[in-house]
Amino acid sequence: MNALHAWLTLVGQGFSEWLDAWVRVSRFAMTALIGMLSPATYNKATRLVVQKQIYFTAWQILPGFCVFAALFSYLIIEIVGITARKYGLYEYALELIVRILVLEILPLMTALFVALRTGAAINTEVALMKIQNELDALQRIGIDPMRLELLPRVVGGTISVLALTAVNIVAALWLTHLAIVDFHPWTLTDGDFTRMIGKVLDIPVLLVLWAKTLAFGFAVTVIPISEGLSTPQKLFHAPISVLRGMVRLFFSLMLIEAAALAMVYV
Amino acid sequence: MTNAKEKSGAKKRVVLLAGDAERRQLIEDHPEAFLVSESLPLRANLSVLENIAVVLQFRTNTYIGEANDTAWKLLTQVGQTGCAEQRDPDLTYEERFVAKLLRAIVLSPPIILIDRPAQLLPDTNYPFFLNRLLLALEGRFEQCWILDYAWNAALYTSRA
């Protein structure tokens, strides 16, 4: 009986901590959203931090990541194209490519890449700032850390995810045209290509795509920051904070992806 | 502060405290004061120059170039331009202290509290160092209070 009681207490504590963490993330997300939309947030110092964040998150990795995304896209386009042709379904290849690659894989891949690179870095940095009391130090000299250090990272990170996704989608569409219409002009023409793109990427689908990308961008910065802020002021908690932040971020990205899929297909 | 003993200069005051509780109370009683303390570190990913300039830039919405110029002038005034581009882990105790002090001084606050200088400058003859530094910065601040413990009073007798 005692063992059962202890086990139930442990499970209850775990659930309570899990719930608390999500409440913290939600609260911070709401505060960040209001802060992002408030003109009072922005001044010359905060705009500079936003620029730096965009530089480190998007501009610095742009060439390498775009080459990788283009190669990956081309591989998927060729595989889908060749397989579809083999089974006599070539007319469906283009729609399949746009639906799988442009609407699903590229936005998710970009978000995961930024989450791994920037999200982990932001989580570590905020956790260390919290542990070393840098946030209080800023507050004490009259600088609101939320405005100077945290919100610009959310804004910069979100813009970066949107920009990288847009660039990758444009590159993928161009490669699709190249692979399906230019290199292997079996049945499709320029007109077919344009019509198909217009048919698949209609207004509701585009709205869901950009809403999803926006949510990805918001999540890859908000969750690591929120996790970093809740780190206890002990150095050994830093890796635990990053670990928790990254796991929470991964599940959030998957949840956003599933919700977007449900909106389009269910 | 009933127990605090003060040794006054024109703008510099050495406040000698009986213990930690008194020190905390004094800091709490002066929320308007800018604190230079071991517990309030510099931003680790900013250089000394940026740490000083960002205060001006954020608080007064100054252009980055202008804020950097002001920060550079302050560093020149105290003869510490050599550490301008360095970040916190690469600084000596003296350089770190100067960066913290200039970060507090840049907006000319009414009071600057230097909290336990022995902790901030462990390898330095700090009464002499502080005297020289504050003299170099005369006109940049209204009042500077050095919070130290009464058992260090002897350190200030010949120099305060």
Side-chain angles (χ1 to χ4, degrees):
Chain A
M1 197 63 191
N2 278 345
L4 182 68
H5 182 263
W7 180 77
L8 282 173
T9 309
L10 205 67
V11 170
Q13 270 174 351
F15 179 73
S16 167
E17 279 170 20
W18 177 83
L19 202 65
D20 276 353
W22 280 109
V23 169
R24 267 199 317 268
V25 170
S26 310
R27 275 197 195 138
F28 181 75
M30 288 307 293
T31 314
L33 200 62
I34 293 163
M36 278 169 82
L37 297 174
S38 163
T41 300
Y42 303 95
N43 65 13
K44 291 187 178 73
T46 54
R47 279 196 290 271
L48 192 71
V49 183
V50 172
Q51 285 167 23
K52 278 184 185 171
Q53 192 61 53
I54 294 172
Y55 171 78
F56 288 122
T57 309
W59 187 252
Q60 214 175 39
I61 61 161
L62 190 66
F65 185 59
C66 283
V67 168
F68 166 74
L71 286 173
F72 181 79
S73 300
Y74 194 75
L75 198 69
I76 299 285
I77 294 162
E78 281 292 309
I79 290 170
V80 173
I82 289 166
T83 313
R85 187 169 180 247
K86 202 169 147 186
Y87 292 100
L89 300 167
Y90 197 65
E91 61 270 32
Y92 299 110
L94 183 58
E95 183 172 348
L96 203 60
I97 288 166
V98 175
R99 284 196 186 279
I100 291 177
L101 194 64
V102 173
L103 294 182
E104 311 307 335
I105 296 179
L106 285 178
L108 185 63
M109 193 175 79
T110 309
L112 281 173
F113 186 77
V114 175
L116 275 174
R117 190 178 180 269
T118 307
I122 289 177
N123 200 148
T124 312
E125 192 183 8
V126 175
L128 288 176
M129 279 167 76
K130 175 78 190 301
I131 292 165
Q132 289 169 347
N133 214 27
E134 287 182 27
L135 297 170
D136 283 349
L138 286 174
Q139 194 88 57
R140 185 77 206 200
I141 51 168
I143 292 179
D144 179 2
M146 184 73 175
R147 273 182 68 199
L148 181 73
E149 295 289 350
L150 309 179
L151 284 179
R153 279 168 173 73
V154 178
V155 177
T158 308
I159 292 173
S160 300
V161 171
L162 284 168
L164 284 172
T165 307
V167 169
N168 287 337
I169 285 176
V170 170
L173 286 175
W174 180 73
L175 283 170
T176 310
H177 187 279
L178 202 72
I180 303 276
V181 181
D182 294 337
F183 282 0
H184 310 301
W186 293 303
T187 51
L188 281 166
T189 63
D190 275 342
D192 292 333
F193 182 84
T194 314
R195 266 191 298 281
M196 184 55 76
I197 298 296
K199 187 187 146 198
V200 177
L201 299 179
D202 58 6
I203 300 290
V205 167
L206 276 178
L207 281 176
V208 171
L209 169 67
W210 291 115
K212 175 175 79 173
T213 311
L214 195 70
F216 280 160
F218 198 59
V220 296
T221 47
V222 161
I223 293 171
I225 290 175
S226 166
E227 202 56 50
L229 285 176
S230 64
T231 312
Q233 284 189 297
K234 292 184 176 78
L235 198 56
F236 67 87
H237 277 286
I240 301 166
S241 162
V242 179
L243 180 148
R244 284 184 177 159
M246 291 301 100
V247 170
R248 194 157 286 133
L249 180 53
F250 177 78
F251 282 114
S252 301
L253 293 180
M254 292 303 136
L255 208 66
I256 294 166
E257 179 63 33
L261 281 172
M263 270 187 224
V264 175
Y265 297 105
V266 179
Chain B
M1 298 307 303
T2 48
N3 296 327
K5 288 180 181 172
E6 298 173 2
K7 287 175 174 290
S8 300
K11 288 179 170 182
K12 186 189 88 175
R13 287 163 72 183
V14 180
V15 184
L16 297 170
L17 306 153
D20 186 49
E22 200 177 347
R23 181 187 66 83
R24 284 170 191 272
Q25 189 61 51
L26 194 142
I27 292 170
E28 232 173 73
D29 290 344
H30 294 88
E32 79 287 2
F34 276 28
L35 189 63
V36 179
S37 167
E38 179 63 19
S39 62
L40 300 177
L42 298 169
R43 273 291 288 116
N45 73 345
L46 298 181
S47 66
V48 166
L49 191 80
E50 289 168 328
N51 260 293
I52 302 164
V54 77
V55 181
L56 201 63
Q57 212 191 348
F58 185 86
R59 296 283 301 271
T60 61
N61 202 20
T62 314
Y63 282 105
I64 177 87
E66 209 178 309
N68 281 345
D69 282 349
T70 309
W72 183 262
K73 274 179 200 158
L74 283 170
L75 284 167
T76 311
Q77 206 169 334
V78 293
Q80 290 281 5
T81 48
C83 65
E85 297 304 324
Q86 286 177 342
R87 294 180 182 190
D88 187 276
D90 303 321
L91 300 174
T92 63
Y93 287 113
E94 289 185 7
E95 288 168 340
R96 189 173 296 117
F97 176 80
V98 167
K100 285 181 181 181
L101 182 67
L102 295 186
R103 179 176 72 165
I105 254 173
V106 73
L107 285 175
S108 309
I111 305 173
I112 293 167
L113 300 181
I114 299 177
D115 179 28
R116 291 169 296 174
Q119 232 186 16
L120 290 153
L121 296 159
D123 303 325
T124 307
N125 176 0
Y126 62 84
F128 173 74
F129 179 79
L130 287 175
N131 215 22
R132 205 185 52 183
L133 195 63
L134 294 174
L135 267 175
L137 289 166
E138 211 162 49
R140 293 277 188 181
F141 61 94
E142 288 177 33
Q143 281 189 68
C144 182
W145 297 3
I146 299 166
L147 311 187
D148 209 337
Y149 290 120
W151 53 84
N152 286 330
L155 294 172
Y156 296 93
T157 47
S158 58
R159 300 179 182 94

